[in-house]
Structures are given as C-alpha cells and as structure tokens.
Amino acid sequence: MSNEIRVSLTNKSLVTIDDLSNGEIEALFSLADVMSDSMNEQIDVCRGKIMASLFFEPSTRTRLSFETAMHRLGGNVISAVDIGATSLAKGEGIADMARVVGSYADIIVIRHPWEGAAKVVADYAGVPVINAGDGGHQHPTQTLCDLYTIKKERQTIKGLKIALWGDLKYGRTIHSLIFALAKFGANILFCPSSGLEVPEHVIKKLTTEYGGELERYETLDQTAKGGLFPLDAIYITPSQPHQLAMMPNISIQAELKSGIDALYVTRPQRERFTTTEQGQELEKSYPVVDKKLLKSKAFRKTLVMHPLPRVDELAYEMDADPRSMYFKQAARGVPLRMALIALLLGAKEVSIPREIDSFIQKKEYAVYKRDSGIRCSNPRCVSIQETETKYIKPEFKIVNRKPLTLRCVYCEHGFEPKYIASSDWHEGRLDSKKYHSADSHWTRKIKPENLIIFDSEDKAQAMGFKPSSYVRAQSLEK
Ligand code: NCD
C-alpha cells in the first residue's frame, strides 16, 4: 500500500469548514505553498474557466484576493457586487439566480447577508460554490487563511493555545475558526467583549461533535479570572488530556503564563447588532489590543492575528511589531484561494501522506423534513425570508432527544421545540391522535421517521391532534 493518498476536490463546494477533512485542508495548504513559490507559472491552470464573483455585502480582501487568484490562474471573472443592481432586488429567489449564474460560470464565489444563503446557491448552481461569508454564520476561506498562517508560523496547530478576542457572537470568521481549531486539536480560549459571547448553538456543536471539554468562567480557578485578560471560557481538546484545566490541581493561569500561541482579534460586527445591542453601546467596553496588553511574558511569542478590517480594537502601533500577522494573513489569501479554485475546478489534485487523516469523524443525525409548520427561529436565516420560503422546505437535524433539539440545516441555529406527536397513531383513530410535550418520555419513544414536531399547540390542533393528558395537566398548572 502506498504511503500517499490522492486528494481530489473536483466539483465539490465549500459552504462550511466541515466540508473539508483535515487531510483535504493539508492538501490545500501544500498546493498553496506551490502556488506561492511559483506564482507566475500558474497562468495556464484555469485558462478558459470563468469564476462568478457575487458580493452582496462589503468586501475588500476576500473579493479582490479571489479575483486576483482567478486572474493568476489564467481564468476570467464576472461579477455582481451590489444586490440592488441584480434581479434579487426585483424579488427573485436565490435559487433562480444560482441556476442562471451556474449556467454562465464554472465556479461561483458568494457573499450574502442571510445565514445559509451559500448553501442554497450550492444546492442549485450545479457548479462548485465557495462561501465567502453568509451573514454571521461562517467564512470558511478566511479560516483557511488563518490556519495556513498559524501552520506556517508554528508548523503545527495541535496543542496550541489560541485566544479568540472581541465579537465572538457575530464574527463569522470566529465561528468557522472555532470548529477548525477543534478539528486540528488546538486549545481555545474565549475572550469575548461583554455581551458578545460565543452563541450557544456553536458551543453545543463544539462540545458534542468535536469532543473535549468546555470550562466556563464560573468553574475557572480564581487566578485565571483576574489574570492576563478577560477570559470567559476555555475549550480543551480530547487530544491533549494533560493540558490546561483537565489536569487536577493545575493553575490555568500558570499554564497560560507559559505562553499564548496566537491572539485572534476581531472588530465589533456592528452591522449585525440588534437595535437593543446598538443602544447598549457595546463598543464602549470593547477591549483594545495594544503593546501594553501584550507586554507580559505570556505574549512574548504570540501571533497577533486579525481577519481585517480593523476599527479601534487593534492599535496601529502593533503594525511594526514582528508578532503581527494580519497583513501576512491577507496576503496569503491569494495563493490559498488559487489552490482552492484549482482543486474545486479539478485543474489540480494533490498527494498527501496517508497518516494525515481526519481527526474528527463527522456525526450523522436523523433529518426532520416534515411539513408541520416548524420554521427556523433565527430571523437572519435564509430559509425564512419571504422570497425563499416559496421553494425552500425547512429541514432540521435532530441533534438531541433530551431536550429535543433541532438544528437548521441552513444557518445551523439550534432550538428546542415544545410539542411532538407520532405519525403512527393507533389505526388512525382520531381519539388517539394525541400530541405530547417535547419533554415527555414520548420524545425518545417515537421513532425519528414517525416524529411530528410542532412549535405551538395551535399548530398541533390545526393538524387534528388533541392534547395528551400530560400536556393538559401542564396547561392546567399554568
Ligand atoms: C471579515 C468578514 O467579512 O467577516 N473580513 C474578511 O473577510 N477578511 C471580518 C470582518 O468583516 O470583520
């Protein structure tokens, strides 16, 4: 058996970072090295191919590096950068746009404010689609630039201590990066600005699908709380059981003092704040990274990273500091995106050592597709927008039975619906067609394929179901 495996990504799409295995990411990095070392020799790699660049939210680096990458590969670019100048403004659904653009171009890069929009484009375009940011959901190619930079500077990602700083709630680069770091076995320190903590659905996916443990603020030792920086939680990967908090009697603070490998700073994503959050002036308490903060020994070799653009959270005085990586991260976007485009178009394949295999096995869940009126609870999800509900059928992964938890397949937000029933009621007699509370034992008893889920009693009753005695007792209690 050969010690190498051939990695091909031909005709695949990149919607979330989960779409790539560790081996595929390593393959991409090795091709990016080749692209970077021989930039001027790549001009025939994608000759004759067309990339559609659709950017319906502001962008400098991502769009221009994708377009530069395609030009450097000898391909051509068509673009639309203003939603108001496309037929989406006339009420066209994303799926129709995707079908049409997919018939013009060989590959599509899309940035869109709705969470899950890139998945819809990938579902309908018929050509490879790259998510260049879908609202606050994910931004997988930024994550690839971030990982590539860490790998280049530190040779490995496994076991590193990486602090994520600032807006961990709405930063899509943060969400993709969290899963990627977990995939590669890094320890993550969460340092959110107040009110901008990592969303619960991200934490749940991290702990249930990527293993490891989350030590929250309340359980951290006293010194960690008052320590180097505002620490909210630490995620410790299973590959490093001796690390950080999992070792009994170890001071987290002492561990942290031994050095933070990277500090990943983000700006407040103000454009995604709710009206209430805008009123709270969250930026006023937003922590700033400057030379003073980084003067302690723990930051002596820290890579200071930022996806850019920066606003006020990262001092300009850091630019000349050798620890600063953000302009390198941006520059590496070109060879990295050249490698990605070439792989997805099937213009390149890469061999990698066999031992670089996937660190995490993908978890399979039953999918709930039944039309029982359940809608995603995230107001920014593509699946509930008026133009899209005409053709998108809501779909959810059943990620937990107790409490019953659904995860939208588009935006990945999770929620806990309140009522359930079985499609397998006794011989169809209406008097036994009952609905139950989702927290009753029925939720685990009913087979996934028979499960009917409701978000309100009204919906259950509208479909001819009557409350079971448990539901009745509960409503009498209220
Ligand atoms: C990021 C984005 O668009 O999410 N920018 C980028 O692509 N480099 C980060 C940000 O806008 O803050």
Side-chain angles (χ1 to χ4, degrees):
M1 196 164 67
S2 147
N3 286 333
E4 302 239 295
I5 42 171
R6 206 138 182 82
V7 174
S8 159
L9 293 178
T10 311
N11 286 331
K12 288 203 175 165
S13 287
L14 175 57
V15 174
T16 72
I17 198 69
D18 298 336
D19 291 332
L20 295 176
S21 69
N22 289 20
E24 287 165 343
I25 293 175
E26 297 283 4
L28 187 71
F29 290 171
S30 80
L31 186 58
D33 285 344
V34 174
M35 296 291 178
S36 160
D37 293 344
S38 53
M39 192 69 93
N40 295 328
E41 290 158 34
Q42 309 301 328
I43 198 72
D44 287 318
V45 174
C46 292
R47 194 171 289 288
K49 298 287 184 193
I50 294 180
M51 178 183 91
S53 158
L54 312 175
F55 277 77
F56 301 137
E57 267 191 337
S59 172
T60 305
R61 274 150 291 272
T62 309
R63 178 163 78 92
L64 296 184
S65 62
F66 262 116
E67 296 186 2
T68 304
M70 192 52 167
H71 286 301
R72 293 237 180 241
L73 293 167
N76 301 301
V77 178
I78 55 171
S79 61
V81 291
D82 173 10
I83 223 165
T86 71
S87 287
L88 293 179
K90 300 179 192 167
E92 180 173 51
I94 293 176
D96 285 0
M97 177 203 66
R99 277 203 173 108
V100 172
V101 178
S103 72
Y104 300 158
D106 301 290
I107 187 164
I108 298 175
V109 180
I110 171 104
R111 171 170 287 190
H112 196 286
W114 291 340
E115 300 179 7
K119 172 171 162 53
V120 178
V121 178
D123 287 347
Y124 288 89
V127 296
V129 171
I130 302 173
N131 180 7
D134 55 340
H137 178 215
Q138 286 216 6
H139 188 350
T141 65
Q142 179 62 48
T143 290
L144 293 171
C145 296
D146 304 336
L147 285 188
Y148 186 49
T149 298
I150 299 173
K151 189 88 201 290
K152 286 216 98 50
E153 305 296 327
R154 287 283 180 274
Q155 283 70 53
T156 181
I157 296 165
K158 195 169 176 170
L160 297 187
K161 281 168 257 172
I162 307 216
L164 306 180
W165 183 272
D167 185 348
L168 310 191
K169 180 172 183 184
Y170 293 117
R172 56 189 169 204
T173 65
I174 289 284
H175 303 156
S176 320
L177 185 58
I178 285 177
F179 299 127
L181 290 174
K183 253 159 114 92
F184 280 94
N187 297 303
I188 312 171
L189 318 175
F190 297 104
C191 312
S193 185
S194 164
L196 298 171
E197 291 80 16
V198 183
E200 211 42 49
H201 67 272
V202 174
I203 295 283
K204 278 216 176 109
K205 183 170 163 185
L206 179 66
T207 48
T208 55
E209 269 156 68
Y210 293 88
E213 256 183 48
L214 187 82
E215 298 279 332
R216 291 195 190 257
Y217 180 82
E218 309 83 58
T219 57
L220 295 177
D221 64 30
Q222 278 309 318
T223 42
K225 289 181 185 172
L228 293 169
F229 46 64
L231 203 55
D232 172 59
I234 301 181
Y235 173 80
I236 307 112
T237 64
S239 64
Q240 301 286 318
H242 60 285
Q243 287 264 320
L244 302 178
M246 280 174 116
M247 191 154 147
N249 307 323
I250 199 166
S251 154
I252 292 172
Q253 193 59 17
E255 269 291 320
L256 297 184
K257 275 201 179 125
S258 73
I260 306 296
D261 295 289
L263 179 65
Y264 189 91
V265 189
T266 57
R267 75 177 167 93
Q269 309 281 303
R270 204 179 155 72
E271 68 277 29
R272 291 196 260 283
F273 285 4
T274 59
T275 333
T276 327
E277 285 166 340
Q278 282 179 4
Q280 287 166 340
E281 299 186 332
L282 294 174
E283 287 101 316
K284 283 209 171 137
S285 58
Y286 208 87
V288 176
V289 171
D290 53 17
K291 285 209 155 143
K292 194 166 151 240
L293 178 103
L294 298 174
K295 76 174 188 312
S296 99
K297 230 174 107 200
F299 296 115
R300 206 159 51 89
K301 290 190 186 155
T302 305
L303 306 173
V304 179
M305 303 179 70
H306 194 307
L308 301 178
R310 91 176 114 186
V311 193
D312 298 315
E313 67 287 345
L314 179 59
Y316 278 81
E317 65 183 16
M318 289 307 302
D319 295 2
D321 191 299
R323 292 170 293 183
S324 289
M325 288 293 131
Y326 30 95
F327 293 116
K328 275 193 185 170
Q329 275 166 271
R332 285 172 178 151
V334 173
L336 193 282
R337 290 180 170 111
M338 287 169 77
L340 181 64
I341 295 169
L343 281 166
L344 299 182
L345 284 176
K348 291 272 180 197
E349 286 185 358
V350 184
S351 293
I352 53 158
R354 191 172 284 278
E355 71 265 17
I356 308 178
D357 220 348
S358 216
F359 177 68
I360 301 285
Q361 283 292 322
K362 260 195 184 174
K363 224 176 183 160
E364 298 296 334
Y365 293 110
V367 176
Y368 183 75
K369 293 184 184 181
R370 206 183 282 273
D371 186 9
S372 59
I374 287 268
R375 283 157 49 99
C376 179
S377 60
N378 170 16
R380 300 162 211 249
C381 178
V382 68
S383 73
I384 62 159
Q385 308 303 322
E386 207 187 322
T387 44
E388 316 305 312
T389 50
K390 295 173 201 160
Y391 66 93
I392 293 182
K393 299 272 167 279
E395 255 181 58
F396 307 92
K397 291 183 180 166
I398 304 175
V399 293
N400 200 1
R401 291 285 196 120
K402 198 176 181 206
L404 179 63
T405 313
L406 299 184
R407 183 194 297 154
C408 173
V409 299
Y410 293 96
C411 71
E412 299 196 279
H413 274 241
F415 61 100
E416 294 172 19
K418 294 281 168 284
Y419 301 98
I420 53 121
S422 170
S423 62
D424 184 27
W425 66 88
H426 304 294
E427 289 123 33
R429 279 185 297 117
L430 197 64
D431 60 339
S432 50
K433 196 177 164 187
K434 299 268 170 65
Y435 65 91
H436 315 276
S437 288
D439 61 7
S440 70
H441 71 286
W442 286 104
T443 301
R444 276 188 292 172
K445 213 162 172 189
I446 300 169
K447 291 197 196 114
E449 62 272 25
N450 290 337
L451 206 56
I452 311 179
I453 304 174
F454 308 105
D455 49 17
S456 72
E457 292 199 59
D458 288 351
K459 295 253 175 65
Q461 289 172 12
M463 284 180 74
F465 289 85
K466 291 181 179 161
S468 69
S469 50
Y470 182 63
V471 173
R472 269 207 310 274
Q474 272 194 328
S475 35
L476 284 177
E477 264 171 35
K478 280 177 198 158

